[in-house]
Amino acid sequence: MRKFLSLIFLVTIILGLIEFGSAKSYQPLKHKWDYCIRAEDLYSLDLDRDMQREFYACTYGRRKSYVNVFDENGEILWNTWVKGKYAVSECASVVETIYILYVDDINDNKDLDLIFGSKVRGEKININPITYIERETDPESGAHKQKLRWKYTHVAGIVTDITSADMDNDGIKEILVASADGNVYVFSINGNVMNKYELDGSVYDIFTSDVDNDGRMEIIAGTYKSIYLIDGGIKWVYPINKRVSRVYAGDLDDDRRAEIIATDGDAIHVINPDGKSRWKVDLKEIADIGASDIDNDTSTEVLVAVGNNIKAFSSDGSFKWEYSIDDRILSMLLLSENELAINTAKKIYVLETDNSYIKNQTAYRKYLEANNFFLPPKDDCVSALPLAKEALEIFTDINNTEGAVRCSYIIRVCEGRIGEIEAKKKLADEYYSIAKKSLDEGDYENAKIHAQMAMEIYAEIGYSYDIIQCDRLIQEIERKKYEIKLEEAHKYYSEAYWHYTNDDYKNSTIYLERAKEIYVELNYSKGIDDCDFLFSEIERKKKKRAADNFYSLAYKRYQLHEYKDALASLEQALEIYQELNLSDEISKSNSLKNLTESYIKADEYYSIAEEYYKSEKYENATYYANESKNIYIKLKDYKKVVVCDSLLKDIEEKKKEKDMFQLLMTLAVVIILIIFIIIIFFSIRRFGKIRQ
């Protein structure tokens, strides 16, 4: 049922919006005044320095050209005229016709100065002079006279545009002239040519602006095929390949630099200060261009006169609005930020900003925003109601009945819904209060449960601020829980470190495991790293303790002359010391190992010497006994040296006894042999006597 009602409501709103779109329309501009006169050029000056700019309209005739001065209400204050020359003689006739007239207070005397371009034609003359005339007014009588200051006659083509600006920052304006001869001239107030810029062909329009915000004025010039930026010289050229009829400059993006706006009659070109294209819009029969926040919406629009319409484009080139008048527009002039003068073939129109347009736009945006909150799926009356009330106030102020009705509907429905919402909000507020109290009492689980319940209700009724508050409270609860757990982990770590410093590695490991488990849960990287480092230190100390024990055992066995057992313990100690890279312990162990191995070797040599001694291999016994003795001498174990000497002495005695025995045996054999020989001798003699 709710979905069906929502669908009906949505269709009603859509139909209402269709009607709203076709209801009373508001224009960004409104008519201020008009005057039935055909003008060629329009200007705006505050000649008398009263902070009110007057409006100047120039009209041209064959004999006389007029400057009409209007006040802010369209009343003519005064006018003046300037005439060309017409002379007839028996030899020739000369006619000077003014075709372009520029007005300003060049000499800063609070009176009008006139600069005009003319054609001087005759049977033997064809020149296009530029003339500067000062207007002097008598303050008592009000009468005025015109004084020719200078005339410049060296322009090859007709003058297409005239303007003035202080180009060299000396406080005095220069006069700038564009000509069909392809040049832009810069004249001093005295008529001297200060600069002359030769471009690619006829120059049709010029405009001055501090484009790059460097404090100096630049010249923008439009020729028959290009746009130029001149800054003491030609800075860049932007090709159009068509006649550039109008150029302008304005800051479209509030970066204090001016974008260049130009038209060739069939398109608007917007160019960045660096000479790169920003955007282009194609239109037909463009008469004039400009830039201003004419609709007072805080953004600068590009204004284009097309046919009988003023079209406005945003700084990105998107179309914003248009305003129509009854006549075809020839040119336009921005009188101020909020006033625009329009020149047609029949009349001059002055338009001004219609503040109702901006108010209507503002109210409509607020209404759309309110409606967006109001419609499903948001159903957010809390956010929609104040926006609808703001929009209603503005719609009422500008008498937009349709907008007021739409806003009133949202207000009426939302105020009905809010009664139900307020009851839910009260419950959510209670949950929120319980959550805060539980947080203060340290009951974090209960605090979190009630904060989440409050947050769900706030979300249901669309109280975004309270949702944020609940979210912050939950974050605070989580932060408190985090801090408590972190403190617990820190305590475990401190306990582990205490046991570690007291060489109680078992309990240190137990507490360290508890600390690391919490650090991992909290994703506290520093704590995890500290635990891992202490684990490695505990393991290192345990290994060192084991190595020290092996070394102590080795040393004890060394002292008990159990050298082989000592060597085995030393090798175990060394393996651990090397793993731990303990250089001092490695050096100490190697020293003891060398001593132990020397004793083992010396003892082995002594044992071999004894074996050879027992087997009466005295030469071998002597060799090994000496080897053993030499090692003991290096070890400075003189007791063992004495033992070796004793063995060597015994060997020597045994060797002497053996030698004596061998001598006696040899003597015995010799004696026996002698006796045997004597016996044989006497036997032979006896046997001879017998035979005799």
Side-chain angles (χ1 to χ4, degrees):
M1 182 66 178
R2 178 176 172 82
K3 290 183 179 179
F4 178 70
L5 290 173
S6 296
L7 180 61
I8 293 175
F9 176 69
L10 184 59
V11 171
T12 303
I13 291 297
I14 292 170
L15 291 173
L17 286 174
I18 294 171
E19 183 182 349
F20 192 22
S22 61
K24 180 180 179 181
S25 62
Y26 291 84
Q27 294 294 320
L29 302 173
K30 64 181 179 180
H31 180 275
K32 185 176 182 182
W33 58 266
D34 62 70
Y35 196 88
C36 188
I37 189 175
R38 176 185 173 90
E40 304 295 336
D41 289 306
L42 306 177
Y43 302 102
S44 177
L45 298 172
D46 181 13
L47 196 63
D48 52 9
R49 313 293 193 273
D50 63 351
M51 306 302 292
Q52 297 289 331
R53 295 178 72 86
E54 298 82 29
F55 176 49
Y56 295 76
C58 301
T59 61
Y60 305 146
R62 182 173 177 83
R63 298 293 178 91
K64 291 183 180 180
S65 296
Y66 288 88
V67 179
N68 300 286
V69 184
F70 297 86
D71 66 11
E72 60 180 6
N73 298 314
E75 298 293 331
I76 289 186
L77 296 173
W78 51 272
N79 60 25
T80 190
W81 55 268
V82 60
K83 66 177 181 178
K85 293 181 179 180
Y86 180 78
V88 179
S89 69
E90 294 180 358
C91 299
S93 63
V94 176
V95 177
E96 180 180 18
T97 305
I98 297 172
Y99 58 86
I100 183 168
L101 177 61
Y102 178 78
V103 298
D104 197 357
D105 183 8
I106 303 294
N107 57 11
D108 199 27
N109 66 348
K110 297 185 180 181
D111 211 336
L112 198 64
D113 298 323
L114 307 165
I115 302 100
F116 59 84
S118 60
K119 300 176 185 177
V120 179
R121 301 289 185 265
E123 293 181 6
K124 296 182 180 181
I125 189 168
N126 184 357
I127 60 173
N128 304 283
I130 303 163
T131 304
Y132 176 21
I133 294 175
E134 286 183 350
R135 184 173 181 269
E136 296 179 351
T137 303
D138 187 337
E140 294 182 1
S141 66
H144 66 270
K145 62 180 179 179
Q146 295 179 357
K147 180 181 178 181
L148 175 65
R149 281 292 301 268
W150 52 262
K151 185 183 288 284
Y152 184 82
T153 60
H154 301 293
V155 179
I158 64 170
V159 173
T160 54
D161 196 14
I162 305 173
T163 189
S164 61
D166 183 2
M167 300 301 295
D168 52 10
N169 288 333
D170 64 351
I172 302 172
K173 290 182 179 180
E174 283 72 47
I175 300 160
L176 294 86
V177 175
S179 172
D181 66 5
N183 293 300
V184 175
Y185 298 85
V186 181
F187 293 96
S188 72
I189 193 171
N190 297 317
N192 299 318
V193 178
M194 298 175 63
N195 283 301
K196 178 181 175 183
Y197 302 103
E198 185 175 353
L199 307 185
D200 62 3
S202 296
V203 184
Y204 293 102
D205 199 34
I206 54 175
F207 191 85
T208 58
S209 175
D210 183 6
V211 173
D212 52 11
N213 193 32
D214 65 350
R216 298 193 312 272
M217 301 295 280
E218 287 82 43
I219 304 170
I220 303 109
T223 71
Y224 82 105
K225 65 176 182 179
S226 303
I227 301 166
Y228 283 79
L229 183 68
I230 302 169
D231 186 6
I234 296 172
K235 191 169 184 180
W236 52 255
V237 182
Y238 185 86
I240 297 291
N241 295 321
K242 290 183 72 176
R243 177 180 178 270
V244 180
S245 56
R246 289 284 188 273
V247 290
Y248 200 85
D251 183 2
L252 302 183
D253 48 15
D254 294 326
D255 64 351
R256 297 186 178 180
R257 301 196 308 159
E259 283 68 40
I260 289 85
I261 308 158
T263 182
D264 55 20
D266 293 324
I268 312 162
H269 300 267
V270 176
I271 304 162
N272 287 325
D274 59 1
K276 306 296 182 183
S277 175
R278 183 164 184 165
W279 52 266
K280 174 188 173 186
V281 173
D282 291 322
L283 293 169
K284 293 296 183 183
E285 298 181 357
I286 298 172
D288 210 346
I289 53 176
S292 172
D293 181 17
I294 192 70
D295 60 10
N296 204 22
D297 68 348
T298 72
S299 63
T300 301
E301 292 82 39
V302 175
L303 304 176
V304 186
V306 181
N308 64 335
N309 297 312
I310 300 294
K311 295 181 180 289
F313 294 86
S314 298
S315 60
D316 62 359
S318 58
F319 176 76
K320 287 184 72 173
W321 51 260
E322 70 178 12
Y323 179 83
S324 300
I325 63 173
D326 294 334
D327 296 332
R328 183 172 177 273
I329 300 170
L330 301 178
S331 63
M332 62 182 181
L333 174 70
L334 284 161
L335 302 179
S336 67
E337 190 72 16
N338 302 116
E339 285 190 339
L340 181 68
I342 303 296
N343 184 29
T344 72
K346 299 177 182 178
K347 288 183 179 181
I348 297 170
Y349 296 86
V350 173
L351 311 175
E352 63 181 352
T353 301
D354 189 348
N355 289 324
S356 295
Y357 171 80
I358 291 299
K359 288 183 177 180
N360 187 64
Q361 293 289 96
T362 303
Y364 186 59
R365 282 196 298 271
K366 289 182 180 295
Y367 166 75
L368 290 178
E369 194 175 352
N371 201 48
N372 183 45
F373 283 117
F374 177 63
L375 291 173
K378 289 186 177 179
D379 290 324
D380 183 2
C381 271
V382 174
S383 299
L385 187 59
L387 290 166
K389 286 182 176 180
E390 289 178 29
L392 175 62
E393 184 179 351
I394 300 171
F395 281 138
T396 302
D397 180 49
I398 61 175
N399 297 318
N400 189 332
T401 306
E402 293 80 3
V405 168
R406 303 301 167 212
C407 293
S408 298
Y409 179 79
I410 294 175
I411 292 167
R412 185 171 64 255
V413 173
C414 280
E415 285 179 342
R417 289 181 186 174
I418 284 174
E420 178 186 349
I421 290 170
E422 285 177 350
K424 290 184 177 181
K425 185 178 185 302
K426 184 177 180 181
L427 178 62
D429 290 343
E430 290 177 5
Y431 286 152
Y432 182 79
S433 297
I434 294 170
K436 287 200 71 173
K437 184 178 179 183
S438 298
L439 173 62
D440 294 338
E441 294 172 351
D443 187 356
Y444 302 119
E445 292 302 323
N446 191 48
K448 185 174 181 180
I449 289 169
H450 280 85
Q452 288 174 335
M453 291 167 63
M455 190 174 184
E456 288 175 6
I457 297 173
Y458 286 136
E460 179 187 348
I461 61 179
Y463 273 69
S464 54
Y465 174 78
D466 296 283
I467 293 170
I468 293 170
Q469 293 299 104
C470 284
D471 185 57
R472 288 176 179 170
L473 183 60
I474 291 169
Q475 289 179 24
E476 178 67 14
I477 294 165
E478 292 296 333
R479 187 180 66 81
K480 288 284 187 183
K481 289 170 66 178
Y482 180 90
E483 288 175 352
I484 288 171
K485 283 195 170 184
L486 187 61
E487 184 62 29
E488 183 182 7
H490 288 339
K491 287 180 180 178
Y492 282 140
Y493 181 82
S494 298
E495 191 73 19
Y497 192 80
W498 185 85
H499 285 292
Y500 164 76
T501 55
N502 288 279
D503 298 331
D504 183 359
Y505 303 128
K506 181 178 179 181
N507 282 319
S508 179
T509 301
I510 290 170
Y511 284 110
L512 202 56
E513 286 173 346
R514 292 176 186 173
K516 184 175 179 180
E517 183 179 350
I518 298 172
Y519 285 140
V520 170
E521 179 187 346
L522 300 179
N523 196 27
Y524 185 69
S525 57
K526 184 180 183 303
I528 296 169
D529 292 342
D530 289 344
C531 288
D532 288 341
F533 178 76
L534 192 55
F535 272 128
S536 65
E537 287 300 301
I538 291 170
E539 190 63 27
R540 185 180 177 85
K541 279 208 168 188
K542 286 167 69 176
K543 286 182 178 181
K544 186 177 183 301
R545 175 185 280 184
D548 291 344
N549 289 336
F550 282 128
Y551 180 84
S552 297
L553 180 60
Y555 190 75
K556 184 177 180 182
R557 286 174 173 172
Y558 171 81
Q559 289 180 322
L560 294 172
H561 308 301
E562 298 172 0
Y563 300 118
K564 289 186 177 180
D565 290 338
L567 185 62
S569 297
L570 274 173
E571 286 175 347
Q572 288 177 297
L574 263 171
E575 183 180 354
I576 299 171
Y577 286 143
Q578 287 168 348
E579 178 188 344
L580 300 178
N581 196 27
L582 299 173
S583 56
D584 291 343
E585 283 76 3
I586 292 169
S587 177
K588 182 176 69 173
S589 298
N590 279 327
S591 297
L592 185 58
K593 181 181 178 184
N594 291 335
L595 291 173
T596 304
E597 287 176 339
S598 294
Y599 270 110
I600 290 171
K601 197 170 188 180
D603 287 351
E604 285 178 352
Y605 284 159
Y606 185 84
S607 297
I608 293 170
E610 281 189 323
E611 291 296 323
Y612 279 125
Y613 172 75
K614 290 176 182 178
S615 60
E616 298 181 353
K617 295 179 180 179
Y618 300 119
E619 293 299 327
N620 290 337
T622 300
Y623 171 79
Y624 282 105
N626 280 320
E627 288 294 316
S628 178
K629 178 182 175 181
N630 291 334
I631 294 172
Y632 286 133
I633 289 170
K634 290 179 181 178
L635 293 171
K636 296 181 181 181
D637 191 341
Y638 297 112
K639 289 183 180 181
K640 291 286 187 176
V641 171
V642 171
V643 172
C644 289
D645 285 341
S646 176
L647 180 59
L648 286 168
K649 184 178 179 183
D650 290 344
I651 292 169
E652 286 299 319
E653 288 176 356
K654 286 293 184 179
K655 282 172 70 179
K656 288 179 181 179
E657 288 177 2
K658 186 177 179 180
D659 289 345
M660 184 61 71
F661 176 76
Q662 286 178 346
L663 179 61
L664 291 174
M665 288 298 294
T666 302
L667 289 172
V669 171
V670 170
I671 292 169
I672 292 170
L673 184 60
I674 292 170
I675 294 171
F676 182 74
I677 291 170
I678 293 171
I679 292 172
I680 291 173
F681 178 75
F682 283 105
S683 294
I684 292 171
R685 282 187 70 181
R686 186 179 177 186
F687 181 73
K689 288 179 177 183
I690 293 174
R691 287 186 67 176
Q692 292 177 357

